[in-house]
Amino acid sequence: MIDFSAPADIVAPHLLGATIHLHGVGVRLTEVEAYLGSEDEAAHTYRGETPRNAAMFGPPGRLYVYLSYGIHRAGNLVCAPVGTGQGCLLRAGEVVSGVDLAQERRGAVPFHRLAQGPGNLGKALGLDLGDNGAQPEITAPTDEVEWVRGRRIGITKNADAPLRFWISGHPTVSGRRGRPPA
């Protein structure tokens, strides 16, 4: 069982190897990023609660779904106590159930890329803005995974914070311009 009431940087490594089930697809998480609310200027919640980010201030273990770059639906799992505004961005994973449905949603991409990157993972899961605040089914990992942490990617604010966590050597993990993480 994953304790989502803990701070996001504590929850993040426990999510690696866990499976999120939504809209007929299960994705085993291989990469996440922690966002630490008001103490993290890269967090959507850095400046406080708004109608757009209100789900991040809600109960832990719920989804915060948002539109990234106006086209991709990305998701975070809310962490820490209610009112804190912390969460873990779902960055990448391996589709473990509903493969045909994920492929239909993503098109002709290699298997390891079905849920590689936050927008692609969101598309594979069928994330919709209507899922904002929903409680997804999450299966905790059955085995310990070997993971590493490093700087976040794809952001400019507080990017050097070592708040990105991934399963070492897993082919689904995203990277800069197609290269694996350092």
Side-chain angles (χ1 to χ4, degrees):
M1 177 108 183
I2 298 168
D3 179 11
F4 286 99
S5 67
D9 57 335
I10 303 300
V11 174
H14 296 284
L15 287 172
L16 297 172
T19 303
I20 182 168
H21 306 269
L22 199 65
H23 302 301
V25 172
V27 174
R28 180 178 169 259
L29 298 173
T30 59
E31 181 184 8
V32 297
E33 283 180 354
Y35 287 88
L36 302 176
S38 63
E39 58 188 79
D40 180 357
E41 69 177 311
H44 287 188
T45 56
Y46 177 67
R47 290 192 165 83
E49 187 173 345
T50 67
R52 179 180 179 241
N53 70 16
M56 281 280 278
F57 291 90
R62 302 288 177 112
L63 280 169
Y64 163 55
V65 180
Y66 63 95
L67 203 55
S68 177
Y69 299 108
I71 51 172
H72 303 289
R73 283 156 192 83
N76 284 255
L77 287 168
V78 177
C79 301
V82 170
T84 308
Q86 294 189 27
C88 291
L89 172 66
L90 308 176
R91 280 204 58 86
E94 175 183 13
V95 177
V96 293
S97 65
V99 174
D100 290 344
L101 186 53
Q103 286 178 319
E104 182 180 314
R105 291 173 179 156
R106 287 278 293 122
V109 298
F111 178 79
H112 74 280
R113 299 210 47 216
L114 283 174
Q116 186 180 59
N120 294 332
L121 190 151
K123 193 167 188 177
L125 283 174
L127 276 183
D128 185 83
L129 296 178
D131 293 318
N132 198 33
Q135 175 112 39
E137 179 188 341
I138 298 173
T139 305
T142 54
D143 299 316
E144 286 191 38
V145 296
E146 187 175 321
W147 56 271
V148 292
R149 73 187 288 170
R151 65 187 309 269
R152 296 183 288 200
I153 60 173
I155 59 171
T156 56
K157 296 178 181 173
N158 203 17
D160 289 332
L163 296 172
R164 181 167 163 245
F165 302 81
W166 65 91
I167 295 175
S168 181
H170 202 283
T172 63
V173 172
S174 62
R176 285 192 190 94
R177 295 184 185 104
R179 290 178 299 211

